[in-house]
């Protein structure tokens, strides 16, 4: 059973300690990533020198093209022909300590191993995406070997541009398009959100005193705060609710949507109303806006679940309330596509790529601070749910791309 908040402001054989804390085969997102400053100016796409990362921004009014800022960082890799890669942000923008930064991190890792020059394009206005994409495809200085588009928000524009620029290779994150020059990578958001629900459902009826925060053992309510109320985030919500009910069908889930991915205050207001109404754990799928949920958890002395990256690491100021995070290894996906581009092996990544629990591409990791305090039943339930999903004994609502 779910109560929906309008979002007006009133309203995701392992037994070792390291595994329980979510130590991964590759770091999800190391704290302290250095992102170049973003400056908003209209102009022409500029090319930097070889072996460097450049940061650009696109004009928010749709009337200008991205312009290169003067800030660069050198990349590694062997000498030879430079591979030029551009990455365009989602509406949440870079510096979200989650989705966009993970995508960028994978490219930065590839640039340490190969001769790759990265150009970041910060564009938070979806109405500008078609223009930004076409300018990058038409650029000759540099001529981009790959353009990475962060988020399904780019899909509509790319449906036109992928066909209009058949010689331009694109990577689309969280969606796919049936074109030979598009590598669509979608992580199983629904599966990791089901796991987040298992974590919340397991803990909400238990005691957990930690650093002044606590759960209410008599509570039967947990919460969810989403970004945009649409197909993709609906899959997070419905799958989270299914995971909660897999643990205990008598538990309730309250739901609220912000309407965007950047408004931390509205996220805070919604989460606060959920905590006030009896929820003691809230899971967010709201990108950068999710920091407002963590602040609300601290104010209410309750707990929250992060998304995309291990947010107890990327946002250490909130690690006292982050019980766990539903993570997806976007960094490994962007690394894989960049490597295929360098090696002229596009066929290895082209098409629709769905990555989930079976591929070890998504999972719930326990918080760096709180995780050690959780009972063993948490990891037992998470593993049981994972095996049931992979074996087909549990059907997770929706799909990787939405409901």
């Amino acid at each position: 059973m779910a109560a929906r908040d309008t979002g007006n402001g009133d309203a995701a054989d392992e037994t070792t300690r390291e595994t329980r804390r979510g130590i991964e085969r590759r770091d999800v997102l190391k704290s302290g990533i250095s992102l170049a400053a973003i400056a908003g100016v209209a102009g022409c796409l500029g090319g930097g020198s070889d072996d460097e990362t450049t940061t650009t921004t696109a004009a928010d009014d749709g009337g200008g093209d991205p312009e290169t800022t003067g800030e660069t960082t050198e990349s590694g890799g062997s000498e030879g022909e430079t591979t030029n890669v551009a990455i365009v942000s989602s509406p949440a923008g870079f510096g979200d300590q989650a989705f966009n930064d993970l995508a960028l991190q994978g490219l930065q890792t590839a640039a340490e191993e190969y001769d790759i020059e990265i150009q970041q394009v910060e564009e938070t206005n979806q109405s500008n995406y078609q223009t930004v994409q076409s300018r990058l495809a038409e650029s000759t200085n540099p001529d981009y070997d790959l353009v990475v588009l962060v988020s399904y928000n780019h899909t509509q524009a790319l449906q036109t541009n992928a066909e209009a620029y058949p010689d331009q290779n694109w990577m689309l994150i969280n969606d796919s398009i049936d074109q030979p020059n598009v590598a669509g990578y979608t992580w199983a958001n629904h599966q990791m959100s089901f796991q987040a629900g298992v974590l919340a459902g397991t803990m909400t009826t238990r005691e957990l005193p930690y650093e002044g925060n606590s759960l209410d053992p008599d509570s039967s309510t947990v919460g969810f705060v989403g970004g945009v109320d649409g197909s993709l985030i609906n899959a997070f919500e419905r799958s989270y609710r299914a995971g909660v009910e897999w643990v205990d069908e008598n538990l309730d889930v309250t739901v609220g949507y912000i309407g965007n991915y950047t408004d931390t205050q509205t996220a805070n207001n919604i989460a606060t109303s959920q905590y006030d109404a009896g929820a003691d754990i809230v899971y967010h799928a709201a990108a950068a806006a999710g920091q407002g949920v963590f602040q609300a958890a601290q104010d209410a002395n309750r707990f929250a679940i992060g998304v995309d990256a291990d947010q107890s690491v990327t946002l250490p100021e909130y690690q006292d309330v982050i019980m766990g995070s539903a993570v997806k290894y976007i960094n490994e996906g962007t690394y894989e596509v960049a490597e295929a581009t360098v090696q002229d092996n596009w066929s290895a990544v082209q098409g629709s790529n769905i990555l989930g629990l079976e591929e070890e591409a998504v999972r719930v990791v326990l918080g760096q601070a709180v995780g050690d305090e959780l009972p063993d039943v948490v990891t037992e339930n998470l593993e049981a749910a994972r095996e049931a999903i992979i074996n087909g004994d549990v059907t997770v609502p929706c799909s990787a791309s939405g409901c």
Side-chain angles (χ1 to χ4, degrees), residues 1-5 197 200-201 204 220-225 236-246 248-256 274 279 281-283:
M1 177 178 181
R4 185 177 295 274
D5 189 323
T204 187
S220 60
T221 303
V222 296
F224 173 85
V225 176
F236 283 77
E237 173 205 327
R238 288 181 57 189
S239 301
Y240 172 68
R241 186 190 303 126
V244 171
E245 293 173 351
W246 181 81
D248 185 344
E249 62 183 11
N250 296 314
L251 298 177
D252 294 331
V253 182
T254 59
V255 175
Q274 293 179 355
I281 304 169
V282 175
Y283 171 47

Side-chain angles (χ1 to χ4, degrees), residues 30 97 123 142 145 158 171 183 258 336 344 362:
K30 298 175 183 175
Q97 298 297 326
E123 178 54 85
D145 301 285
L158 187 59
M171 178 185 186
I258 303 162
E336 182 175 281
D344 195 21
V362 300

Side-chain angles (χ1 to χ4, degrees), residues 177-200:
I177 290 174
D178 187 17
Q179 291 291 339
N181 57 337
V182 177
Y185 272 64
T186 305
W187 281 261
N189 302 301
H190 62 320
Q191 292 183 354
M192 72 181 196
S193 294
F194 186 97
Q195 292 285 75
V198 171
L199 172 58

Side-chain angles (χ1 to χ4, degrees), residues 46-83:
S49 61
D50 290 348
D51 300 324
E52 62 185 22
T53 301
T54 62
T55 303
T56 74
T57 184
D60 287 339
D61 61 4
D65 302 330
E67 178 177 274
T68 304
T69 70
E71 302 197 29
T72 65
T73 57
E74 292 186 358
S75 67
S78 58
E79 295 183 2
E81 183 177 353
T82 298
T83 298

